[in-house]
Amino acid sequence: MPANVGGTTGNKCPSLFVGTGLFFGGFMEEKPKIISELEETRDKALASLSQVNDEEALQNWRRDYLGKASQVMLTFASLGQQPKDMRALLGQTANQVKQALEVALEEHTQRVKQTALLHKVQSEQVDVTLPGRAPVQGGLHPQTQVMRRIFAIFAEMGFQVYRTPDVESDLYNFELLNIPAYHPARDMWDTFHVEGEGVVLRTHTSPGQIHAMRQNAPKPVRVILPGMCYRYEQISARSEIQFNQVEVIAVGKNITFGDMKGTLNGFVRRLFNADVRTRLRPSYFPFTEPSAEMDVECFVCAGKGCSVCKSSGWLEILGCGMIHPAVLENGGYDPRVFSGFAAGMGPERISMLLHKIEDIRYFWGNDVRFLGQF
Amino acid sequence: MKISLNWLKDYIDIDLSLEDLARTLTMLGLEVEEIRVVGLELPQKSDRSEFKITGLGWPSDYFVVAQIDEVMPHPDADRLTLCRLNDGGADLIVLTGAPNLFPYKGIGPLVKPIKVAYAREGSVLYDGHKPGYELTKLKRAKIRGVESFSMVCSEKELGISDEHEGIIILDSDAPTGMPLAQYMGDAVYEVSILPNMIRDASMVGVARELSAVTGKALRVPQRSVKSNGPNIAGKAAIEIRDPQLNPRFVLGLIEAVTPRESPYWVQRRLRMAGMRPINAIVDATNYVMLETGQPLHAFDYDVLKERANGERPTIITRPAVEGETITTLDEVRRNLDPNDILVTDTAGPLSLAGVMGGLESEIRPETRNILLEGASWNFINVRKTTSRMHLNSEAGYRFARGVHPALASWAVELCLQRMYEWGGGQIYEGLVDKYPLPPQDPQVEITVADVKRKLGITIPATEIADILRRLEFKCQVDGDRVVAQTPPIRLDIGSGEVGKADVIEEIARIYSYNAIPETDLGDDLPPQGNNLALDHEEKIKDILVGLGLQEVITYRLTSIERENRLALDRNELNPQSYVKLRNPSAPERAVMRRSLLASVLEVLEKNVHLSERLAFFEIGPIFVPIKGQQLPNEPRQLALAMTGKRHNSAWDVVEKGQLDFFDLKGVLSGLLESLHLLNVSFEPASHPAMHPGKCAQIFVNGNSLGYLGELHPQVKERYDFLSACVVLAEIDLDKLVSLTPLWFESAPVPLFPPVLEDIALIVDANIPAERVETLIRQTGGKMLSAVHLFDVYSGEKIGTGKKSLAYSMTYQPQDHTMTAAEATALRNKIVRRLEREVGAQLRDE
């Protein structure tokens, strides 16, 4: 072992050194032997240091060349016994040697440590392609997420959330919305009727319009009405008996069809992207007039036609219109003074478009393989 | 409604491309769902195809009108004929098996050539012998020794209809050699008609809308043929019992009509519209209904006379009497109620008014003399009848949405002419017309300001009037005011403010919705308030997600049986306490849920084999009927359920810990802590679905919030769960939200070092840990900033009936550094209190 070489040499040195020390004084002109021996030991020590490459050998080297029994330290110890005129020179030399050794040791120790660390680091390689440990993770239902987006966009435009019940009277769900019994428009909703007189599961969030207006009239209203709605349908990939709707209404003294376009276009641009194209198509709802459907240029194919937009290039996104005078009146507003708009959209449809969900039954099916993707 | 372009052009000139026409119709509110091309050139596939386009084009080089001059027998095949045919050029021999040519076989050269649709070699058309519509290309082939390279076509082969029994025999005036597409090329627009635009369930209606936007003149068809018979006076009488039900009833009479086949172009148009041609009489009523929107009904005049014992028949309209019946054309005997309207004569019911004719007075093959009815009916009654009987007829569809009574005489006149033109005969002069209740067509006053207020744009009065006139409103302009008289063709315009809105919609529609500029809402912003219920609810969701739970949203419709699974004692849930549907779509979705927990547990069950760890929550309403209250209460709840492993396993760690009561308690404690609720306690309790020894009630400031616990093993057996325990909780969300503070104070970070100390105490096993901790906290007071139970031990070392609780405590003085003596004093005080109150002993290490 090269580390031991220095050690063994060092062990022999002190006896030689002490022995010759007594002999030193006579030759002032020549370098005293004791000094050249110190220097030789120093050179030998420095030379052997480069062979030292672990913590233990470093300790041994320190003991041999800087320990209590080392030549340098013994030189200091024996300084008092040296001739007076030698002391200064010898002390100085011993100091220099000690310092040189210490500096060298310090430097080398650092080097050895770095080398050892480098070795360790090199041996510690892991297979970074092994999977990470999965933390326990919760998640929001996709419809909570899309609802929040809708709420947030409308909140910026001053629309607050207003919730109304799922089980409604026929009066609020139909009559007050200008849909009398046996009106052709009733065809548009296949209704679940509840046992008891005139009670239904709301077929849309529109009854909330009347609730919100009646609570606020004659102050202006700007609310969105989210909630679960129900229609008697055969459950299939395309239709559900239970679905969310978000209704938007604004009532005031200066609200126009143009304002409705501005507001809804603003919403759609925030939801999809800033330069999405939209169009309004005439439509019919008993509680609005004029009524319209808003189509958004298909963001999947940019209007070229694909399976999502069924080759039409357009996606139906919401129904809207100016609130019908009879509905305004039922809400407590004079239709000659007040006007307003209403719009309704299906958050499930929006999610289906945004995430290319092909089966509406996934939403309330709550399969973890579906929920885990959001 | 299927709109044939070829037919539509009878009433208006159209120079739009197929797609532009579809776009224009859609923007008028007549949404085009599909374009089926029948002969015209198919539009080029472009970057933007907005419509579903199907069908077949007939290139002029390949498809032409041809004439068959002779039908000759095939030498080797009885079922085939050889036709000598001219396609405008040379004579050709074409092979066909069409049965409708057999009558001409072997009779020598035809005096009157048969006009046919001829496809030359290389034509691409539908295979008439295969099901569905499969394209095929005509190739040269030898059939039974005769070379064949082209064909005379059936309707199916050309994509006109499913008909492929025989070839098309065109009208005799079809010009030989003319490209077929030019002669009868068409495209059918499938248009959905909005409930308030039933006037447009007619060719003229659609043409009128197009005229309003394109400015092309509308050609309204009118009776042009003069009567060639005597006056109708005395031939029939009408008695209307209730004008509210039947505002108008019109009769026309035509005799000696031949019920032969209608001209080919009529048959083709009817087929394009989705109707089956029968004969000239029936076709005329259907054709005119599609043309005008007015349903018509043809009676066999001889049958009526017979029923009146040879006297003048009297038509009576009246509500049906309870218990009365009628057998309709579809041979179904129908029980009537007083809501149904009947057309009867003195002998009894003739037809179900506005819906379907009766079997007895039906037109028969031998019928020659026709009494033609054009009437109008109360749409509500017709609607009730059609919906009760689930009877969908073209007539019922229109009458249930409202047909203007003014159309009746116009349509009857037109129909008499069509019958005469297609079947010959003698049209009686005049009509029998009872019109006791003409509708008041509203006059609507509208100003430039009204339009501006609703639409946000200024349209000059003259332009408003111009738009409305194009829809046949009669308008007077007076400065900024327009007085518009509704035309007698529609029932959807109201009066007063409603009428204004109705008219403004028409203005906007014709002006184009997309031409109205968008503006920002400039109206006063209503006062804004907070919405704590929603805000807290959303916060609770976020906290629970952070605690590792997945939100679910379940059906709010369920069944009592499904919810009963969760109750140990099945009598616990009273059927009276449910909101029940009168018309459930399925028995398992017949009531509104009373338990959110039951729904969440179903989700857990459904997923139990899909993941080694499941932790779900849902927030939503349950539905509680209240006696004497029309609508139920809808309190909101929070339900949680978890099962499986505590953490996820990994490739180097297999998770052994199973979720149990304390994991769920940790979640709930974490939730309540995050909501800054103070004075939370959990007390042993019982719940019908929970393990009696592992169930707790949660209190905040003495208010019960709900329950948590392990699913009762007996209840668990009813589910498809694994061996791992299932823990669940049911929380009153409304209560939780009401107790949640809007804001809270934070504490400063201490300036002085804390002192940490551990103590282990031996107490009787039945002492609740919470009691010990409460005593520690009370005694420690402000100085004690945290107490953490880090070990619970029971075993022989400390004696039976005992348990050891080890706490680490943090002493945190606010204004100085604590000395060792102070710490010891505090600790001793705590230990002494515990000794005194719960008999605790300090455990020696």
Side-chain angles (χ1 to χ4, degrees):
Chain A
M1 294 279 287
N4 293 333
V5 178
T8 357
T9 331
N11 279 339
K12 289 175 191 162
C13 284
S15 55
L16 278 171
F17 183 52
V18 175
T20 48
L22 297 169
F23 197 62
F24 201 67
F27 309 92
M28 288 298 286
E29 263 72 290
E30 276 194 35
K31 199 182 258 183
K33 193 174 174 219
I34 187 166
I35 287 178
S36 41
E37 273 177 3
L38 260 179
E39 284 170 351
E40 266 169 44
T41 307
R42 178 195 66 198
D43 293 345
K44 201 163 86 184
L46 290 178
S48 72
L49 188 58
S50 64
Q51 303 297 312
V52 170
N53 49 21
D54 66 18
E55 195 63 31
E56 195 192 347
L58 276 170
Q59 288 306 323
N60 292 339
W61 189 93
R62 169 189 286 279
R63 184 193 61 219
D64 294 347
Y65 296 111
L66 286 165
K68 277 182 195 160
S70 65
Q71 189 180 9
V72 171
M73 297 316 275
L74 288 176
T75 307
F76 283 123
S78 68
L79 215 51
Q81 296 149 34
Q82 298 295 341
K84 270 200 177 129
D85 55 344
M86 281 274 295
R87 282 182 199 165
L89 179 63
L90 190 57
Q92 199 183 358
T93 309
N95 249 332
Q96 282 166 355
V97 168
K98 182 179 172 231
Q99 244 170 33
L101 290 179
E102 278 173 351
V103 168
L105 176 65
E106 177 57 30
E107 279 174 4
H108 194 67
T109 303
Q110 283 308 317
R111 211 173 295 132
V112 168
K113 272 191 185 161
Q114 288 307 315
T115 310
L117 195 61
L118 220 62
H119 270 289
K120 188 164 178 274
V121 166
Q122 274 163 4
S123 67
E124 276 177 349
Q125 206 168 14
V126 297
D127 178 358
V128 295
T129 65
L130 282 170
R133 288 183 198 96
V136 163
Q137 221 177 349
L140 288 171
H141 191 280
Q143 289 322 91
T144 296
Q145 298 183 37
V146 78
M147 283 289 209
R148 285 186 179 184
R149 273 182 78 178
I150 295 169
F151 293 177
I153 296 169
F154 279 108
E156 288 177 3
M157 297 190 272
F159 289 81
Q160 289 200 290
V161 174
Y162 188 90
R163 295 198 289 205
T164 64
D166 289 20
V167 184
E168 264 296 359
S169 62
D170 187 275
L171 184 70
Y172 273 78
N173 196 73
F174 292 120
E175 297 281 336
L176 293 174
L177 290 168
N178 201 31
I179 318 167
Y182 296 102
H183 190 273
R186 284 229 177 173
D187 278 356
M188 296 163 82
W189 300 275
D190 294 302
T191 311
F192 280 122
H193 296 275
V194 169
E195 285 186 0
E197 209 39 52
V199 183
V200 299
L201 301 188
R202 65 173 165 195
T203 55
H204 45 192
T205 42
S206 308
Q209 291 186 20
I210 304 288
H211 289 293
M213 283 193 271
R214 287 190 168 178
Q215 193 185 317
N216 289 289
K219 283 182 293 186
V221 177
R222 231 180 260 192
V223 293
I224 62 174
L225 309 153
M228 205 62 92
C229 303
Y230 307 84
R231 289 189 196 165
Y232 189 115
E233 308 248 359
Q234 286 308 313
I235 299 182
S236 72
R238 297 248 132 240
S239 70
E240 258 292 3
I241 55 170
Q242 162 183 318
F243 56 93
N244 274 300
Q245 220 178 49
V246 177
E247 192 115 342
V248 184
I249 66 163
V251 178
K253 288 184 180 167
N254 300 298
I255 294 177
T256 68
F257 192 90
D259 293 342
M260 175 180 83
K261 282 183 77 171
T263 306
L264 298 177
N265 278 331
F267 164 71
V268 165
R269 288 188 201 112
R270 280 287 317 271
L271 188 67
F272 298 106
N273 67 61
D275 47 9
V276 71
R277 294 206 312 154
T278 60
R279 70 172 187 190
L280 283 182
R281 258 186 303 119
S283 188
Y284 172 75
F285 306 106
F287 35 88
T288 53
E289 191 163 38
S291 302
E293 295 276 355
M294 182 179 251
D295 295 336
V296 170
E297 189 174 59
C298 181
F299 49 82
V300 176
C301 62
K304 289 190 179 68
C306 67
S307 63
V308 174
C309 60
K310 295 194 207 77
S311 332
S312 72
W314 294 99
L315 301 168
E316 249 180 70
I317 210 79
L318 51 83
C320 57
M322 299 303 289
I323 300 174
H324 194 280
V327 176
L328 275 177
E329 203 152 3
N330 290 337
Y333 294 89
D334 181 349
R336 288 168 303 182
V337 180
F338 287 88
S339 58
F341 67 78
M345 69 192 85
E348 277 79 73
R349 173 160 172 78
I350 291 173
S351 288
M352 289 173 88
L353 295 173
L354 288 173
H355 305 296
K356 231 182 160 190
I357 297 165
E358 312 235 306
D359 194 329
I360 198 170
R361 289 169 296 194
Y362 287 173
F363 290 110
W364 322 136
N366 293 300
D367 190 304
V368 286
R369 292 166 295 184
F370 174 68
L371 297 178
Q373 297 180 53
F374 294 91
Chain B
M1 166 114 184
K2 293 183 169 72
I3 305 288
S4 146
L5 175 58
N6 178 292
W7 189 352
L8 192 61
K9 283 180 172 172
D10 282 5
Y11 313 107
I12 186 170
D13 292 339
I14 294 169
D15 51 15
L16 301 166
S17 72
L18 289 181
E19 283 181 290
D20 279 344
L21 176 59
R23 213 167 283 129
T24 306
L25 289 171
T26 297
M27 286 307 166
L28 278 164
L30 296 163
E31 193 187 354
V32 173
E33 290 168 351
E34 188 183 332
I35 307 171
R36 188 164 67 88
V37 174
V38 188
L40 294 178
E41 197 180 334
L42 276 163
Q44 294 285 313
K45 282 266 174 234
S46 72
D47 255 11
R48 292 191 55 91
S49 73
E50 288 177 40
F51 303 95
K52 187 179 168 198
I53 301 175
T54 60
L56 181 70
W58 306 328
S60 311
D61 296 349
Y62 290 97
F63 295 88
V64 291
V65 176
Q67 64 182 56
I68 295 173
D69 292 314
E70 188 176 359
V71 182
M72 299 168 295
H74 188 286
D76 296 329
D78 283 351
R79 298 183 144 216
L80 296 177
T81 55
L82 298 176
C83 301
R84 185 157 59 79
L85 175 142
N86 185 292
D87 68 350
D91 271 7
L92 306 154
I93 297 295
V94 177
L95 188 77
T96 171
N100 54 344
L101 287 182
F102 288 174
Y104 306 95
K105 185 162 77 172
I107 60 168
L110 301 173
V111 183
K112 219 172 124 190
I114 300 168
K115 299 294 175 73
V116 293
Y118 174 65
R120 293 182 176 135
E121 183 180 0
S123 297
V124 175
L125 36 64
Y126 294 116
D127 192 324
H129 300 287
K130 287 193 180 152
Y133 287 88
E134 199 175 303
L135 286 173
T136 180
K137 192 170 183 173
L138 283 187
K139 288 184 200 124
R140 207 166 271 266
K142 264 208 166 141
I143 300 173
R144 298 239 175 176
V146 178
E147 191 163 55
S148 164
F149 50 87
S150 61
M151 68 192 290
V152 285
C153 305
S154 69
E155 289 204 335
K156 179 168 178 180
E157 282 150 353
L158 292 176
I160 296 170
S161 74
D162 286 338
E163 199 55 53
H164 65 280
E165 275 304 296
I167 57 155
I168 300 170
I169 295 179
L170 298 173
D171 297 321
S172 56
D173 58 358
T176 300
M178 181 186 266
L180 194 62
Q182 188 188 335
Y183 178 62
M184 61 174 203
D186 205 349
V188 180
Y189 289 74
E190 181 73 56
V191 170
S192 57
I193 304 289
L194 296 168
N196 65 333
M197 289 174 76
I198 194 63
R199 64 182 184 280
D200 292 340
S202 67
M203 303 303 297
V204 171
V206 171
R208 181 183 293 114
E209 300 290 346
L210 280 174
S211 157
V213 282
T214 63
K216 304 271 185 199
L218 175 69
R219 293 186 288 270
V220 178
Q222 298 292 353
R223 162 109 178 251
S224 56
V225 172
K226 285 219 165 73
S227 298
N228 53 351
N231 196 284
I232 195 169
K235 296 305 260 182
I238 300 166
E239 186 189 328
I240 294 172
R241 297 261 169 92
D242 185 349
Q244 291 292 342
L245 301 183
N246 178 199
R248 189 177 192 186
F249 200 101
V250 175
L251 288 170
L253 184 62
I254 180 167
E255 286 189 345
V257 188
T258 313
R260 59 178 172 238
E261 275 196 0
S262 302
Y264 177 69
W265 63 269
V266 173
Q267 296 185 40
R268 185 173 49 80
R269 284 181 174 183
L270 287 173
R271 286 217 178 87
M272 298 282 215
M275 298 191 99
R276 198 162 52 92
I278 310 285
N279 61 37
I281 299 168
V282 179
D283 292 355
T285 59
N286 285 332
Y287 189 94
V288 174
M289 176 187 68
L290 294 172
E291 191 176 31
T292 63
Q294 167 71 51
L296 298 167
H297 188 72
F299 292 105
D300 185 324
Y301 186 59
D302 297 333
V303 171
L304 294 188
K305 253 191 1 205
E306 206 178 299
R307 285 164 62 101
N309 303 316
E311 299 292 307
R312 176 191 73 172
T314 300
I315 302 289
I316 305 159
T317 70
R318 59 165 173 85
V321 180
E322 192 73 58
E324 216 171 346
T325 62
I326 186 172
T327 303
T328 41
L329 279 178
D330 50 4
E331 299 183 30
V332 178
R333 190 181 149 100
R334 299 180 185 274
N335 296 315
L336 306 177
D337 73 24
N339 181 66
D340 304 319
I341 314 172
L342 280 177
V343 177
T344 71
D345 59 6
T346 42
L350 294 172
S351 72
L352 197 50
V355 182
M356 196 175 269
L359 193 59
E360 252 181 274
S361 56
E362 195 193 356
I363 298 288
R364 294 147 218 255
E366 63 272 21
T367 300
R368 297 288 181 279
N369 303 326
I370 309 294
L371 190 63
L372 183 64
E373 166 201 321
S376 62
W377 309 102
N378 185 308
F379 73 88
I380 291 177
N381 291 69
V382 174
R383 219 187 126 65
K384 285 183 179 173
T385 301
T386 53
S387 60
R388 193 181 85 245
M389 297 182 181
H390 303 290
L391 233 175
N392 296 313
S393 67
E394 292 278 345
Y397 163 71
R398 288 171 174 79
F399 280 127
R401 285 162 180 76
V403 176
H404 196 288
L407 304 185
S409 52
W410 171 51
V412 168
E413 296 276 25
L414 266 180
C415 189
L416 291 170
Q417 173 165 341
R418 303 277 187 230
M419 283 184 185
Y420 167 78
E421 283 170 345
W422 304 337
Q426 208 178 33
I427 307 177
Y428 275 65
E429 176 82 46
L431 302 173
V432 185
D433 186 355
K434 274 270 155 60
Y435 199 174
L437 194 64
Q440 296 295 311
D441 296 315
Q443 198 177 62
V444 179
E445 250 190 64
I446 186 150
T447 63
V448 172
D450 289 333
V451 174
K452 167 95 176 147
R453 190 169 78 88
K454 267 285 170 70
L455 302 181
I457 46 169
T458 302
I459 307 179
T462 48
E463 197 182 333
I464 292 173
D466 186 44
I467 288 173
L468 293 173
R469 280 184 191 126
R470 283 191 256 159
L471 293 168
E472 296 188 24
F473 283 81
K474 291 208 161 50
C475 294
Q476 285 181 324
V477 181
D478 174 16
D480 274 353
R481 183 204 317 263
V482 177
V483 179
Q485 174 61 47
T486 309
I489 49 171
R490 53 196 294 171
L491 295 170
D492 64 314
I493 304 290
S495 52
E497 277 306 304
V498 172
K500 266 187 190 171
D502 293 332
V503 167
I504 288 172
E505 178 170 58
E506 292 302 89
I507 296 166
R509 203 164 59 86
I510 303 303
Y511 185 86
S512 175
Y513 283 8
N514 294 309
I516 299 172
E518 64 177 82
T519 47
D520 292 329
L521 262 179
D523 198 53
D524 291 343
L525 186 66
Q528 305 274 298
N530 64 14
N531 196 346
L532 284 185
L534 180 74
D535 293 350
H536 284 323
E537 192 172 306
E538 295 305 312
K539 187 174 178 193
I540 289 166
K541 288 182 187 173
D542 285 336
I543 294 167
L544 290 171
V545 167
L547 291 166
L549 279 80
Q550 169 67 49
E551 187 196 10
V552 298
I553 299 178
T554 60
Y555 286 100
R556 295 177 184 182
L557 284 162
T558 183
S559 70
I560 299 177
E561 294 70 35
R562 290 167 78 151
E563 295 213 331
N564 256 337
R565 281 213 292 174
L566 194 52
L568 186 61
D569 177 0
R570 283 168 197 255
N571 298 322
E572 192 110 353
L573 296 168
N574 173 5
Q576 297 309 311
S577 60
Y578 278 89
V579 172
K580 283 197 244 166
L581 297 190
R582 278 207 322 246
N583 59 334
S585 58
E588 68 273 17
R589 304 258 177 244
V591 301
M592 297 300 279
R593 68 179 174 210
R594 280 294 310 255
S595 165
L596 188 59
L597 196 52
S599 300
V600 175
L601 212 58
E602 283 182 9
V603 175
L604 199 72
E605 180 186 30
K606 198 182 140 185
N607 283 291
V608 81
H609 298 285
L610 297 174
S611 176
E612 62 176 11
R613 176 187 176 278
L614 295 170
F616 294 130
F617 77 92
E618 179 171 11
I619 284 178
I622 59 168
F623 302 85
V624 185
I626 304 294
K627 236 191 160 102
Q629 193 176 301
Q630 188 190 25
L631 301 179
N633 285 356
E634 300 186 8
R636 295 179 80 79
Q637 288 206 330
L638 161 64
L640 304 93
M642 318 202 293
T643 191
K645 297 198 165 160
R646 188 165 293 142
H647 302 288
N648 297 319
S649 294
W651 45 271
D652 60 342
V653 187
V654 177
E655 173 65 21
K656 296 221 174 64
Q658 298 280 353
L659 289 165
D660 66 15
F661 178 87
F662 296 103
D663 292 287
L664 182 58
K665 186 178 173 187
V667 166
L668 289 168
S669 304
L671 170 66
L672 301 178
E673 199 175 303
S674 299
L675 293 173
H676 302 279
L677 290 167
L678 303 172
N679 291 328
V680 175
S681 64
F682 293 81
E683 288 172 17
S686 67
H687 181 282
M690 296 179 190
H691 189 302
K694 300 175 184 176
C695 172
Q697 194 172 3
I698 310 166
F699 292 91
V700 172
N701 277 330
N703 298 288
S704 170
L705 271 192
Y707 294 85
L708 78 155
E710 188 178 308
L711 186 62
H712 196 293
Q714 275 175 286
V715 176
K716 194 178 162 209
E717 281 176 5
R718 299 179 192 152
Y719 290 82
D720 177 25
F721 283 128
L722 306 174
S723 61
C725 77
V726 172
V727 288
L728 63 173
E730 193 171 47
I731 307 292
D732 177 343
L733 188 82
D734 296 326
K735 182 72 69 58
L736 177 58
V737 163
S738 73
L739 293 170
T740 300
L742 180 57
W743 58 276
F744 60 93
E745 281 181 26
S746 65
V749 176
L751 292 170
F752 300 93
V755 175
L756 306 174
E757 185 151 38
D758 293 349
I759 55 169
L761 299 156
I762 296 168
V763 292
D764 287 345
N766 63 2
I767 302 283
E770 190 168 272
R771 171 135 176 75
V772 175
E773 187 174 320
T774 305
L775 286 169
I776 294 174
R777 283 186 189 280
Q778 279 175 4
T779 317
K782 276 189 186 163
M783 200 67 88
L784 182 71
S785 67
V787 181
H788 171 61
L789 177 68
F790 68 89
D791 187 41
V792 180
Y793 171 80
S794 54
E796 281 178 17
K797 269 202 260 175
I798 55 167
T800 46
K802 297 281 183 188
K803 67 181 170 189
S804 156
L805 302 170
Y807 294 92
S808 79
M809 302 185 292
T810 308
Y811 306 147
Q812 179 62 69
Q814 293 302 316
D815 51 4
H816 67 287
T817 300
M818 199 180 215
T819 63
E822 275 180 295
T824 310
L826 184 56
R827 166 201 161 99
N828 290 342
K829 195 175 150 197
I830 291 169
V831 171
R832 273 198 304 276
R833 176 94 185 269
L834 291 169
E835 284 168 354
R836 201 167 59 239
E837 305 248 345
V838 292
Q841 282 173 267
L842 209 54
R843 187 176 172 194
D844 305 320
E845 288 312 317

